[in-house]
Amino acid sequence: EFIDEEDKKLVAQGKDKIKCCIIDYDAGFEGSGASSTGDASMYSSYGAIYDKLTELSIVRNKLVIILAQPKIAVYSNEEIPLEMIGESSRKIQVADVVITRGKFTGNQNNLGIFTIPKNRHGDLDKQYSIRLNNGHFKIIPKGVYQMLKQEQEKKYYTEQDIDTMIHQYNLQQSGIHL
């Protein structure tokens, strides 16, 4: 209803309707298992929420992105498995694509692994990454990731630093020595 009202306002102003809804995060919705005190199971209560979000996606043709925390047991995992996504298994059933990022806690250089553990219409994938101090995530080869995991102290890598490491790694892998 909120999105419908916002769309009406935008159209009245001669603007395009909302194309994408980013929700941070679904456990805060009234009626979710996390916010309700009723007897409904989390599966059922989240189901009602996801039914509405599916309607936004399919009937109203909007991209819907839901942000969520993983289960607490995997907060420090490098890789987040599909079954540890959020509070309800209904979330996993309904989602077309699930993207996660774990965190390597062995050093302070913001290393982690992006995974796509569910992709209804595509491939599953895994990418090694570093989050730089500017907030950007940089995808890096597994070999560079393994090298950076060995660092014991906090470093403030720039994109250029990482690009140089990737270049040197690629040269080494191809057998070219400078």
Side-chain angles (χ1 to χ4, degrees):
E1 292 149 352
F2 172 78
I3 299 297
D4 288 342
E5 288 302 315
E6 292 301 311
D7 276 347
K8 285 178 190 174
K9 291 176 193 174
L10 289 167
V11 169
Q13 297 170 6
K15 298 179 182 176
D16 290 338
K17 291 181 178 181
I18 295 170
K19 293 180 178 141
C20 178
C21 302
I22 301 174
I23 298 160
D24 183 18
Y25 73 114
D26 55 344
F29 280 122
E30 184 177 334
S32 74
S35 68
S36 68
T37 56
D39 292 332
S41 72
M42 287 181 92
Y43 184 88
S44 296
S45 58
Y46 275 101
I49 292 167
Y50 297 135
D51 288 346
K52 288 289 188 186
L53 296 176
T54 299
E55 182 182 333
L56 264 180
S57 177
I58 294 172
V59 175
R60 289 174 173 75
N61 196 31
K62 298 185 186 310
L63 174 63
V64 178
I65 300 171
I66 301 170
L67 307 175
Q69 294 287 334
K71 292 183 179 171
I72 196 166
V74 294
Y75 275 6
S76 60
N77 283 24
E78 276 182 276
E79 207 170 326
I80 312 278
L82 185 62
E83 64 273 8
M84 295 306 240
I85 305 300
E87 301 80 5
S88 170
S89 61
R90 184 69 190 262
K91 183 181 300 197
I92 297 167
Q93 281 185 322
V94 172
D96 288 326
V97 178
V98 175
I99 302 171
T100 68
R101 185 176 190 270
K103 182 178 178 182
F104 175 65
T105 58
N107 69 33
Q108 298 178 10
N109 291 313
N110 301 312
L111 300 171
I113 300 174
F114 279 106
T115 57
I116 300 177
K118 180 179 181 185
N119 190 354
R120 196 176 308 274
H121 303 292
D123 296 331
L124 306 181
D125 198 7
K126 177 192 309 191
Q127 296 288 322
Y128 300 88
S129 66
I130 183 168
R131 184 178 53 80
L132 302 171
N133 288 334
N134 63 6
H136 294 179
F137 287 91
K138 189 105 172 128
I139 301 301
I140 56 179
K142 183 178 181 181
V144 173
Y145 182 84
Q146 296 296 341
M147 180 186 70
L148 289 170
K149 280 175 69 172
Q150 304 308 312
E151 283 290 335
Q152 295 301 309
E153 62 185 60
K154 173 88 173 147
K155 300 254 176 120
Y156 297 96
Y157 294 110
T158 65
E159 290 193 42
Q160 181 61 43
D161 294 336
I162 299 300
D163 287 341
T164 299
M165 285 182 209
I166 292 170
H167 180 71
Q168 289 173 344
Y169 173 79
N170 288 336
L171 287 175
Q172 181 184 20
Q173 291 305 107
S174 67
I176 298 172
H177 298 287
L178 298 177

